[in-house]
Amino acid sequence: MRIGAGRAKGREIGVRKAFTRTGDEEELRPTSAKVREAVFDIIRDRIQGARFLDLYAGTGGIGLEALSRDAAEVVFVELGDLRTRLIRSLLSEFNFRERAVVIRAEACAFIRKEIKKGIIYDIIFIDPPYGSEELVKALGFIGESAMLAEDGIVIAEHFSKRLLPDAFNGLRIKKRYRYGDTTLSLYRR
């Protein structure tokens, strides 16, 4: 997997170890290059200077791409120890450490803490394991909070056969993009 554009364009994200199942960690399903490119086509005009939240970060590919494309800050949230260490290593290797925070936590617990702190994000990317209910829970928490900027966007990556509701509290669907088995659902306040 490689960074597609920006300052780190072409740099490889060495993720082989992250694909190994260890302990209770879920098997990894990284965002494909085609879908990753689509995500950044969608947010192309918004990424520069944005505060970006990468929930269920996995190998960190989406957040690293955001940093490469000049996001002001990226917060990576990943529960797996091996994966959080991999993300930290890649941040150092790409010289992105000063614009990133890596949090080892369960995503919904992290969201609840951020809500209490009043932290606001411009772009939130959510990509939990496809078979879990985490996406619905996370979108619900985000929708009922003020953690998304007024003109912010939430991009949810999910299995195409799963149709998400058009609304989650304060969030409303704006568009769905389908790429084979993967759908990106775009929500706004």
Side-chain angles (χ1 to χ4, degrees):
M1 197 169 11
R2 294 185 183 279
I3 300 291
R7 294 175 190 216
K9 181 179 180 177
R11 304 269 316 256
E12 189 170 339
I13 302 171
V15 297
R16 188 171 296 149
K17 287 183 182 178
F19 287 93
T20 306
R21 190 179 184 130
T22 58
D24 293 331
E25 292 188 40
E26 298 270 344
E27 190 171 328
L28 188 63
R29 177 203 36 79
T31 300
S32 72
K34 180 180 181 179
V35 173
R36 207 164 12 122
E37 183 179 327
V39 166
F40 288 95
D41 282 346
I42 294 166
I43 62 175
R44 161 188 21 217
D45 299 332
R46 302 170 151 269
I47 192 68
Q48 189 171 13
R51 191 140 201 264
F52 191 102
L53 176 59
D54 186 356
L55 293 171
Y56 309 92
T59 62
I62 291 287
L64 289 164
E65 186 85 34
L67 288 166
S68 181
R69 294 175 187 234
D70 291 330
E73 178 186 21
V74 174
V75 176
F76 297 84
V77 179
E78 172 56 45
L79 184 57
D81 181 57
L82 175 65
R83 295 178 190 142
T84 54
R85 285 186 279 136
L86 173 67
I87 294 167
R88 285 185 182 107
S89 172
L90 290 168
L91 288 168
S92 292
E93 182 181 329
F94 294 175
N95 294 316
F96 291 152
R97 193 82 176 135
E98 70 282 351
R99 295 187 294 134
V101 177
V102 181
I103 307 290
R104 183 172 180 230
E106 190 272 325
C108 288
F110 170 81
I111 293 169
R112 288 190 299 267
K113 285 181 183 177
E114 292 294 274
I115 291 169
K116 289 178 184 176
K117 293 178 190 175
I119 307 293
I120 296 174
Y121 295 92
D122 300 302
I123 302 167
I124 300 174
F125 181 77
I126 308 173
D127 180 18
Y130 277 9
S132 77
E133 290 302 312
E134 291 293 305
L135 183 57
V136 172
K137 289 192 313 189
L139 285 168
F141 286 135
I142 293 166
E144 68 189 22
S145 76
M147 74 182 300
L148 183 64
E150 279 301 317
D151 62 343
I153 57 174
V154 176
I155 299 175
E157 180 179 334
H158 57 94
F159 189 51
S160 291
K161 291 185 179 179
R162 180 178 194 173
L163 185 62
L164 293 176
D166 288 344
F168 284 93
N169 301 320
L171 297 178
R172 301 278 177 262
I173 191 78
K174 293 300 174 189
K175 194 162 186 178
R176 290 186 176 93
Y177 304 84
R178 186 172 176 173
Y179 305 93
D181 288 344
T182 300
T183 293
L184 297 173
S185 293
L186 175 64
Y187 289 88
R188 292 195 175 156
R189 293 177 65 71

